[in-house]
Amino acid sequence: QPPLDYWIGKIFYSVSVTDFSVRLPAALFGTATVYLLTRISVEKFGLATGLILGTYLALNHYHIYYSQEARPYSLAIFLFVAMLYILDRINAETRPSRRLYFTLFIVVLLFLHTRTLTPLLGVSLLAVFFLVAWLISRKDIIARGKHRNIAIILSTAVGCYLPAFINIYRANTRYLSNQSDLHTLIISGIQGMAPGKIWPVISTQSGNAGLLMLMLAAALPLLFLRGHDRSKSPIWISTLAFLCILLLAHFFIHHARSPLPLRPPYAFYLLPLLILIAGAALQGIQSLIKKPGRHKLFIGFLVLDFLSPQAVSTYPFKEMNMRTGWRSLATFASTYFDDNHLMLFETMAARDHWH
């Protein structure tokens, strides 16, 4: 894996070796993600809908779990949402400053160094999207210039990251599966895009609201065709298309190289994009409600359907014992074994004591 999460962990580990210190970075990044996504949602969809979406993420069991895990997933989600936030700031300003563009470059470069493949795939696809937007936005000179600059920044960040990616790729002999036939790889990748393999990842991340969020995402193009807020809908239609292409490409590449299922945290871009797309669809539905009194009923429905199930399922995840006993394992292994021994683990489950 790229070194960013290890560098951050090294800093915290040098201060304290407790479980609290080791897991603190993930908790900080998880909290910051809730703040950024809430801010984006409030600015785009209004105070009520934005707070509901932000609270949903704060209560989401998947987000809580990986905000306590000493792994790079929480960091990757935070930097991905930060990248979306800066892109939104650039889109909102008539003439974005160089400092804002430079901030985007730094955030994207850091994001690429969180995981090996997924950020590279996402940023490369995003660069293609902005390149296409630059080519088709000939009438709007200001928007065309911003799209060109963003495409250049994303491509430059990818170019800066490629040497590190190539080194990791060469060092990891298990990166590709044993299947060497190109036809077999393509067939495996296509089979990996089956809905039955994608849905478990979606349901794991979104919980009880997964089906509702998919329904809202499917309704978004229909709301756009009906004329809902056409000045903003193209952005969210593009976001929906980006998510679909990225998700399918990710599953294709993963299953082409591995027979194992895609672990939910690998698709760390999924939950933030689903939340924002659902927020855009909810905004469109609210625009169709003519009577003011029914808006309150609609907000009440969102609270019941989005937040109540999350609040019920959050407590068990918050109380889950995250202590792994890895220090006891390290002491045990170094005391009784040396480099002439081979240790085989039946399970990596947490242990209070190692004997």
Side-chain angles (χ1 to χ4, degrees), residues 33 38 73 75 82 126 135 154-155 220 241 257 261 281 307 321 341 352:
T33 301
T38 303
Y73 307 123
L75 172 62
L126 198 59
L135 293 175
L154 296 178
S155 302
L220 186 60
R257 67 182 178 87
L307 302 186
N321 181 19
H341 293 85
D352 293 328

Side-chain angles (χ1 to χ4, degrees), residues 30-326:
T31 304
T33 301
V34 172
Y35 167 76
L36 275 183
L37 190 127
T38 303
R39 183 166 179 174
I40 296 173
S41 300
V42 168
E43 292 177 359
K44 293 297 180 183
F45 315 127
L47 180 62
T49 304
L51 290 179
I52 290 174
L53 295 176
T55 305
Y56 166 78
L57 180 62
L59 296 176
N60 182 273
H61 57 272
Y62 163 84
H63 187 70
I64 290 176
Y65 181 87
Y66 284 103
S67 293
Q68 302 176 78
E69 185 86 352
R71 297 286 288 144
Y73 307 123
S74 180
L75 172 62
I77 296 173
F78 165 71
L79 289 174
F80 178 72
V81 175
M83 180 179 66
L84 296 179
Y85 177 75
I86 297 173
L87 288 172
D88 180 63
R89 297 271 65 78
I90 294 175
N91 181 67
E93 295 187 9
T94 304
R95 297 189 180 277
S97 63
R98 293 181 180 178
R99 180 180 299 179
L100 193 57
Y101 282 123
F102 179 74
T103 304
L104 174 64
F105 173 75
I106 296 299
V107 170
V108 172
L109 194 59
L110 292 175
F111 171 59
L112 288 168
H113 282 81
T114 57
R115 299 228 2 118
T116 306
L117 176 63
T118 315
L120 178 62
L121 181 63
V123 173
S124 300
L125 181 60
L126 198 59
V128 172
F129 264 69
F130 278 100
L131 179 61
V132 172
W134 171 66
L135 293 175
I136 64 177
S137 58
R138 296 186 176 277
K139 295 182 179 180
D140 192 340
I141 298 178
I142 295 178
R144 194 164 187 260
K146 290 190 289 187
H147 295 156
R148 178 202 59 204
N149 293 340
I150 292 173
I152 292 174
I153 289 172
L154 296 178
S155 302
T156 304
V158 168
C160 293
Y161 170 66
L162 278 180
F165 174 78
I166 293 173
N167 287 335
I168 296 171
Y169 177 86
R170 290 174 176 173
N172 188 1
T173 57
R174 294 176 299 173
Y175 189 80
L176 293 174
S177 66
N178 294 328
Q179 301 170 331
S180 57
D181 180 68
L182 180 60
H183 179 265
T184 305
L185 292 176
I186 294 176
I187 295 299
S188 300
I190 294 175
Q191 292 175 345
M193 296 188 294
K197 295 186 177 182
I198 297 178
W199 169 247
V201 176
I202 297 176
S203 61
T204 299
Q205 293 197 20
S206 55
N208 297 326
L211 184 58
L212 175 61
M213 296 178 78
L214 285 183
M215 293 172 61
L216 290 171
L220 186 60
L222 299 177
L223 293 168
F224 174 65
L225 292 176
R226 290 198 57 170
H228 144 65
D229 200 1
R230 286 185 177 273
S231 64
K232 296 181 180 179
S233 289
I235 298 175
W236 300 113
I237 295 296
S238 300
T239 305
L240 177 60
F242 171 74
L243 173 59
C244 293
I245 296 174
L246 177 58
L247 191 64
L248 291 175
H250 190 188
F251 271 81
F252 177 88
I253 294 174
H254 174 82
H255 286 282
R257 67 182 178 87
S258 173
L260 300 176
L262 180 72
R263 293 188 62 219
Y266 292 173
F268 51 78
Y269 52 85
L270 177 60
L271 184 60
L273 289 179
L274 265 182
I275 291 175
L276 293 175
I277 291 169
L282 291 172
Q283 185 188 40
I285 294 174
Q286 290 185 73
S287 68
L288 299 177
I289 301 176
K290 304 301 181 181
K291 296 183 178 181
R294 294 182 180 178
H295 281 276
K296 295 182 179 180
L297 293 176
F298 184 72
I299 296 300
F301 164 77
L302 292 182
V303 172
L304 290 176
D305 204 69
F306 262 94
L307 302 186
S308 298
Q310 292 299 319
V312 172
S313 62
T314 293
Y315 183 77
F317 280 88
K318 183 65 183 72
E319 294 300 312
M320 184 179 295
N321 181 19
M322 300 293 291
R323 297 181 64 87
T324 57
W326 57 272

Side-chain angles (χ1 to χ4, degrees), residues 329 332-333 343-348 354:
L329 171 60
F332 171 77
M343 300 182 66
L344 298 177
F345 295 90
E346 180 182 359
T347 176
M348 293 302 292
W354 291 85

